[in-house]
Amino acid sequence: MKPNQVNCQNCEQPFDASFQFCPHCGQKANDKLTIGVLFYNTISNYFSFDARFFKSFFPLMFKPGYLPGQFIKGKRLLYLHPAQMYLFISVVFFFIFSFSVRQQTDSLNRELKKTLVSDVDVASLDSVEVKERERALKLEDSLTRIEIRKALEDNQWLTNMSDKDSIAILEKIPKNTDVSFGLNERKIDSLIALKASDEEIYKSMGMDDNDGWFTRKMYAQALKFYKARDGGTILQAFYDTVPIALFFLLPLFALIIKLLHLKKGTYTHHLVFSFYFFSYLFTVFSVIFGLNLIWDIPNWLDFLIALSTFIYLMMALKRFYDQGWLLSWFKSSVATFTFMAIVIPTAVFIMGLFAFLFY
């Protein structure tokens, strides 16, 4: 090795000691490991959170269709990569969304524990406790009806219902009605109290010996839910599948866009467009859920924000595919309807079934 040379700690190649970076691999010379360096490297390497993010974020929000167009033209170092932007914004969204999920799961569990009280549970209470429970249920029922009536009044502009119509709806709602599973709950409760085996309880629920794995699994999960009254766990399992589902939903959205623009670009081009569009959606949803955590946004404002995503899609299609307003409106309408009316409901059904089977 020549004088005044050092070896790179990364690639072990020699270079001049006066160099600040290794000319072979690019690592910084004498890069001491500190807390700041550790976290900076983690963030920059995983998210590439640098100046390119800010150069990309404002065009993403205010110039629909501009970023995918620039990326397709070859300007791929000036702006953040579409997949990296999608990854970073989706992580931020799910972090904010997790607070809302926790509130929903806790609320669902509380409501189930209030309403799903079996005959065995009631029989084990003394007369004072039974009266207290009935008083609590009446109070809860009254509060619930007040909330329902307020919601109906707040949305009269949308439902076009009068006060009499709202009162008529409230009168049709049963009071203090326990949730029914469509089963002989008294018999199941008795078997549980007698510590009968799960197989005996399955048969009392209607399972046959010849039923296959799927049917037996459904009975097993139904009994598990009946015993635990833990609907929040199922809801949490459902939400846990959302990030995985998006890995399939985003390519499906790109396929819909591709079918609407068969003669314009390859599937990869439409995938780039979808990455940026979903990044915009997650940004908007992050703002909505973030604001709802500290302030209950009016329903009409939620509706306007949701409508803005459709307008954004129409403008993005017009710019990216260089087409007229009418054609952009038509294709954005078809894409939105197909995705919301067919793809999303199918995905929700599969995710719900998966959450119930494996929670």
Side-chain angles (χ1 to χ4, degrees):
M1 185 170 63
K2 297 180 181 180
N4 297 327
Q5 283 195 333
V6 294
N7 288 331
C8 176
Q9 296 177 347
N10 180 55
C11 65
E12 300 182 354
Q13 294 294 323
F15 62 91
D16 195 290
S18 62
F19 292 172
Q20 294 184 358
F21 296 90
C22 173
H24 304 286
C25 67
Q27 177 168 291
K28 186 176 181 180
N30 299 322
D31 191 13
K32 295 181 180 180
L33 184 59
T34 63
I35 297 296
V37 170
L38 175 63
F39 283 98
Y40 173 79
N41 288 340
T42 300
I43 295 174
S44 62
N45 290 337
Y46 191 74
F47 295 114
S48 291
F49 192 84
D50 51 23
R52 289 184 301 162
F53 176 81
F54 296 103
K55 289 181 180 178
S56 306
F57 182 75
F58 293 102
L60 173 72
M61 299 302 297
F62 303 110
K63 298 179 70 174
Y66 175 80
L67 283 180
Q70 294 298 303
F71 190 84
I72 296 302
K73 290 178 181 178
K75 295 184 179 181
R76 299 170 187 176
L77 293 179
L78 183 61
Y79 302 104
L80 194 62
H81 191 280
Q84 290 177 322
M85 172 166 279
Y86 169 78
L87 175 63
F88 175 77
I89 295 179
S90 64
V91 168
V92 174
F93 165 75
F94 284 111
F95 173 74
I96 297 173
F97 185 58
S98 64
F99 294 98
S100 178
V101 170
R102 189 179 300 117
Q103 292 178 355
Q104 293 180 36
T105 54
D106 292 343
S107 176
L108 180 58
N109 282 333
R110 285 196 301 268
E111 293 303 318
L112 285 173
K113 288 178 181 178
K114 290 178 183 177
T115 57
L116 295 176
V117 179
S118 63
D119 295 331
V120 173
D121 295 329
V122 175
S124 64
L125 303 176
D126 56 34
S127 58
V128 176
E129 291 173 323
V130 170
K131 291 181 180 179
E132 288 295 328
R133 176 180 177 273
E134 291 176 349
R135 187 180 297 110
L137 283 175
K138 289 180 180 179
L139 176 61
E140 182 70 23
D141 181 73
S142 299
L143 293 174
T144 301
R145 288 168 178 272
I146 291 173
E147 292 177 356
I148 294 174
R149 182 169 182 173
K150 184 177 183 302
L152 290 172
E153 291 174 351
D154 292 342
N155 291 279
Q156 281 183 342
W157 63 274
L158 183 62
T159 60
N160 198 28
M161 291 192 304
S162 63
D163 292 336
K164 292 183 179 180
D165 295 330
S166 301
I167 295 173
I169 291 176
L170 289 173
E171 290 177 348
K172 293 180 181 179
I173 301 176
K175 296 183 178 180
N176 296 328
T177 304
D178 288 343
V179 177
S180 174
F181 287 90
L183 303 169
N184 189 338
E185 297 183 32
R186 184 182 296 274
K187 184 177 181 180
I188 294 175
D189 290 334
S190 300
L191 290 172
I192 293 174
L194 294 171
K195 298 182 178 180
S197 66
D198 288 348
E199 290 293 331
E200 292 181 76
I201 301 176
Y202 296 156
K203 291 180 180 179
S204 71
M205 295 168 65
M207 189 183 77
D208 295 329
D209 293 333
N210 297 326
D211 286 334
W213 175 87
F214 179 80
T215 304
R216 298 178 70 88
K217 182 67 174 179
M218 290 293 289
Y219 276 108
Q221 294 300 92
L223 179 60
K224 178 181 176 181
F225 174 75
Y226 186 81
K227 287 180 177 179
R229 316 290 206 249
D230 191 9
T233 304
I234 299 178
L235 185 62
Q236 181 66 56
F238 174 83
Y239 285 132
D240 288 343
T241 63
V242 174
I244 301 174
L246 286 171
F247 279 103
F248 299 95
L249 293 178
L250 193 151
L252 284 175
F253 181 81
L255 179 61
I256 295 172
I257 298 298
K258 167 65 177 175
L259 294 175
L260 292 171
H261 303 86
L262 290 174
K263 297 181 179 180
K264 293 191 176 182
T266 64
Y267 175 75
T268 307
H269 292 184
H270 309 296
L271 195 59
V272 169
F273 176 88
S274 301
F275 269 122
Y276 281 120
F277 177 64
F278 270 64
S279 298
Y280 169 80
L281 290 180
F282 277 128
T283 302
V284 173
F285 293 154
S286 297
V287 172
I288 292 175
F289 282 103
L291 290 177
N292 274 301
L293 289 175
I294 57 177
W295 175 56
D296 188 15
I297 298 179
N299 292 333
W300 63 267
L301 186 56
D302 282 335
F303 174 77
L304 289 179
I305 295 174
L307 179 62
S308 70
T309 61
F310 173 80
I311 298 174
Y312 181 96
L313 175 61
M314 181 174 63
M315 297 173 64
L317 289 178
K318 181 184 183 303
R319 182 193 296 267
F320 184 69
Y321 294 103
D322 191 23
Q323 56 193 17
W325 283 107
L326 183 60
L327 189 59
S328 299
W329 171 83
F330 174 76
K331 291 186 176 181
S332 58
S333 300
V334 172
T336 302
F337 176 80
T338 305
F339 195 71
M340 298 298 295
I342 300 176
V343 178
I344 291 294
T346 303
V348 169
F349 173 78
I350 296 174
M351 292 160 59
L353 183 61
F354 182 87
F356 181 74
L357 288 175
F358 300 102
Y359 81 96

